[in-house]
């Protein structure tokens, strides 16, 4: 499993990729995003990588637990 898939990384990365995601799949997500968003070509790699992961694997809001 990749570190991006753990709950601990969700606030930092903002993406919720399935635990079984492979590095190759995540690279393909980035490449597809980059091809369809050429207007973001001026951004740093890390920024576009995070945007691509957030778009492909949005996190679902967890229901708030009653106190």
């Amino acid at each position: 499993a990749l570190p991006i898939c753990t709950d601990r990384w969700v606030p930092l990365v903002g993406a919720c990729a399935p635990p079984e995601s492979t590095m190759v799949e995540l690279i393909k997500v980035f490449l597809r995003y980059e091809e369809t968003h050429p207007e973001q070509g001026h951004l740093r790699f890390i920024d576009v990588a995070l945007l691509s992961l957030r778009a492909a694997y949005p996190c679902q809001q967890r229901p708030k637990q009653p106190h």
Side-chain angles (χ1 to χ4, degrees):
L2 300 169
I4 194 172
C5 303
T6 65
D7 285 341
R8 175 173 79 109
W9 286 94
V10 170
L12 176 65
V13 176
C16 294
E20 63 274 6
S21 299
T22 66
M23 186 64 68
V24 171
E25 290 170 336
L26 299 178
I27 291 169
K28 288 179 180 180
V29 164
F30 168 79
L31 292 174
R32 276 192 300 268
Y33 186 87
E34 190 270 335
E35 287 177 359
T36 58
H37 294 85
E39 74 282 359
Q40 295 179 349
H42 68 283
L43 298 175
R44 298 178 308 160
F45 165 79
I46 188 64
D47 295 329
V48 178
L50 291 175
L51 288 169
S52 70
L53 294 174
R54 290 173 186 152
Y57 304 111
C59 296
Q60 301 297 320
Q61 290 285 15
R62 294 182 184 175
K64 293 189 176 191
Q65 298 293 327
H67 296 300

